[in-house]
Amino acid sequence: MRELEELILKKGKVLEGNILKVDSFLNQQVDCAMMKLIGNEFANYFKDKNITKVLTVESSGIAPAMFTAMDLDCDLVFARKKKSLTIEDNIYKSTVYSYTKQEMKEIMVSKDFIKENDNILLIDDFLANGQAAKAMIALCKQAGANVCGIGIVIEKSFQKGRKLLDEMDMDVYSLARIKSLSTEGIEFED
Amino acid sequence: MRELEELILKKGKVLEGNILKVDSFLNQQVDCAMMKLIGNEFANYFKDKNITKVLTVESSGIAPAMFTAMDLDCDLVFARKKKSLTIEDNIYKSTVYSYTKQEMKEIMVSKDFIKENDNILLIDDFLANGQAAKAMIALCKQAGANVCGIGIVIEKSFQKGRKLLDEMDMDVYSLARIKSLSTEGIEFED
């Protein structure tokens, strides 16, 4: 998506360790108009898949997933990263390793919100090593739900996540695919 | 807001300890159409305040705050609850005690996203003891920004948060104000 690539080039910052910081429009400050555009794009791409739920992980996935769900006329569900007292034991859970935060986390979702007959679209802000996507797929599998596709805002194509999801035969649609990333510059896939 | 009160009565569950569980449309599964309505309502109420940023805390505040910011044509900023490696030391921080999760947490926001001249609208999903709102106000004070109002989706009026914010002379607009809450039923303020 050209508008997104331009925004990444304009506002993204590259930190040590292949980290792309997009806090100024996606991960902390959120550009609403861009999120709406992103939601439109995902919804349009997956519109024939009869999606019944959009699933993401808190927090940065919520804004783009919200507009996607809105356009697909279905509910958004966000998996939580830690157990709170308002969630009962009635949950599916899975483990994800975050390279950015350098820690293991459990993600979980209530059994009430993903059902056997659901057609799920997964949305996430980043695809790097594919750990979050893999954990969301595991949650859906536990529920017996059907994962119909994965929408990614920014894919770091040089890391192993894309290959992992391709090998799982997933329909992955990434809006910006980064071929290489360094403090010298950012290069996108064609 | 009548539509919201009806949804709370229909889908909310009351747990031990005055906890209202609204995971089915707000805190984990998200009803997009209701979030849009909520955003419209907040934006309309605060439209003359020249809001330059909408501030919330991850994660449940993001969906309603997103639509509010969209309508007010400004960016959304969400404070984070824990430090991640992609956020540098360039932050404002404040402490919040969560009664639901029974723990102290730091919330933080990058100094890049709240500035001295900003007119901030705070949005949160719940107002109970007012701890999250108080911490967000503290962040804004550190930045020298102006807190122009607070939009709350569900207020538990029988807890001390509303009084606390009134005493701070805040313009608080709550869409559903709960007078009493028990497993017997939910009663709203007139």
Side-chain angles (χ1 to χ4, degrees):
Chain A
M1 201 168 89
R2 195 178 43 77
E3 300 91 331
L4 177 62
E5 290 182 358
E6 284 169 1
L7 197 60
I8 292 168
L9 291 176
K10 192 176 161 197
K11 296 198 167 174
K13 285 179 192 166
V14 182
L15 308 184
E16 293 292 322
N18 287 335
I19 293 175
L20 174 64
K21 191 178 165 185
V22 288
D23 279 11
S24 62
F25 65 91
L26 180 59
N27 295 139
Q28 182 165 161
Q29 181 165 261
V30 184
D31 180 324
C32 303
M34 179 53 71
M35 293 306 119
K36 190 166 190 292
L37 218 56
I38 285 170
N40 294 159
E41 186 71 20
F42 283 141
N44 189 51
Y45 182 86
F46 292 107
K47 67 178 184 295
D48 297 326
K49 298 253 186 173
N50 191 24
I51 304 297
T52 58
K53 291 273 166 77
V54 172
L55 177 66
T56 189
V57 179
E58 62 179 354
S59 295
S60 298
I62 295 176
M66 186 81 237
F67 285 110
T68 308
M70 185 89 194
D71 268 25
L72 290 170
D73 199 20
C74 68
D75 282 342
L76 161 70
V77 175
F78 56 92
R80 289 201 171 268
K81 280 181 185 154
K82 206 186 159 193
K83 188 163 185 171
S84 96
L85 294 184
T86 56
I87 302 176
E88 296 145 13
D89 290 332
N90 177 40
I91 53 172
Y92 300 116
K93 59 183 175 179
S94 178
T95 305
V96 50
Y97 178 74
S98 164
Y99 287 82
T100 319
K101 299 192 180 181
Q102 294 181 352
E103 60 188 11
M104 297 291 293
K105 277 212 168 151
E106 282 207 321
I107 64 166
M108 57 197 66
V109 69
S110 167
K111 290 184 182 176
D112 294 339
F113 307 137
I114 302 186
K115 300 289 186 184
E116 201 178 341
N117 295 325
D118 273 324
N119 291 326
I120 309 280
L121 172 59
L122 307 180
I123 298 287
D124 212 359
D125 56 337
F126 272 95
L127 173 62
N129 294 290
Q131 297 304 298
K134 205 175 121 191
M136 284 196 280
I137 293 167
L139 294 180
C140 294
K141 271 203 179 144
Q142 287 169 45
N146 181 27
V147 178
C148 297
I150 304 177
I152 298 291
V153 181
I154 301 174
E155 174 187 314
K156 292 161 153 181
S157 309
F158 56 89
Q159 287 181 261
K160 60 188 176 192
R162 178 57 185 251
K163 188 160 174 284
L164 180 82
L165 298 178
D166 283 345
E167 283 169 2
M168 294 172 85
D169 220 18
M170 289 288 156
D171 184 1
V172 181
Y173 183 47
S174 302
L175 301 185
R177 303 188 67 195
I178 295 177
K179 194 200 286 189
S180 70
L181 188 69
S182 75
T183 46
E184 315 282 294
I186 299 167
E187 203 184 346
F188 296 101
E189 301 274 351
D190 290 327
Chain B
M1 201 167 90
R2 196 179 42 79
E3 300 91 332
L4 177 62
E5 290 181 359
E6 284 169 2
L7 196 60
I8 292 168
L9 291 175
K10 191 176 161 196
K11 297 199 167 175
K13 285 179 192 165
V14 182
L15 307 185
E16 292 293 321
N18 287 334
I19 293 175
L20 175 64
K21 190 178 165 183
V22 288
D23 277 12
S24 64
F25 66 90
L26 180 60
N27 294 141
Q28 183 167 159
Q29 180 165 261
V30 184
D31 180 325
C32 303
M34 179 53 70
M35 292 306 118
K36 189 165 191 290
L37 218 57
I38 285 170
N40 293 160
E41 185 71 21
F42 283 142
N44 189 50
Y45 183 87
F46 291 108
K47 67 178 185 294
D48 297 326
K49 298 255 184 170
N50 191 26
I51 303 297
T52 58
K53 290 273 167 78
V54 171
L55 176 67
T56 189
V57 179
E58 63 179 355
S59 294
S60 298
I62 295 176
M66 185 81 238
F67 285 111
T68 310
M70 185 89 194
D71 267 26
L72 290 169
D73 198 21
C74 68
D75 282 342
L76 160 70
V77 176
F78 56 93
R80 289 201 170 267
K81 281 179 183 154
K82 205 186 159 195
K83 188 163 185 171
S84 96
L85 294 183
T86 57
I87 301 176
E88 298 146 10
D89 290 333
N90 175 41
I91 53 171
Y92 299 116
K93 59 183 173 178
S94 179
T95 305
V96 51
Y97 179 73
S98 163
Y99 287 81
T100 318
K101 299 193 181 182
Q102 295 181 355
E103 58 187 13
M104 297 291 293
K105 277 214 168 149
E106 283 208 319
I107 63 166
M108 58 198 64
V109 69
S110 166
K111 289 185 181 176
D112 294 337
F113 306 137
I114 304 188
K115 300 289 186 182
E116 200 177 342
N117 295 325
D118 272 323
N119 292 325
I120 310 279
L121 172 60
L122 307 180
I123 298 287
D124 213 357
D125 56 337
F126 272 95
L127 173 62
N129 294 290
Q131 297 304 297
K134 207 176 121 191
M136 283 196 280
I137 293 168
L139 293 180
C140 294
K141 270 201 179 143
Q142 288 169 44
N146 181 29
V147 178
C148 297
I150 304 177
I152 299 290
V153 180
I154 302 174
E155 174 187 313
K156 293 162 154 181
S157 309
F158 55 90
Q159 287 181 261
K160 61 189 177 193
R162 179 58 183 250
K163 188 159 175 283
L164 179 82
L165 298 178
D166 283 346
E167 284 169 1
M168 293 172 86
D169 220 17
M170 289 289 156
D171 183 0
V172 181
Y173 183 46
S174 301
L175 301 186
R177 302 187 66 195
I178 296 176
K179 195 201 283 188
S180 71
L181 188 69
S182 75
T183 45
E184 314 282 295
I186 299 167
E187 203 184 345
F188 295 101
E189 302 272 352
D190 291 327

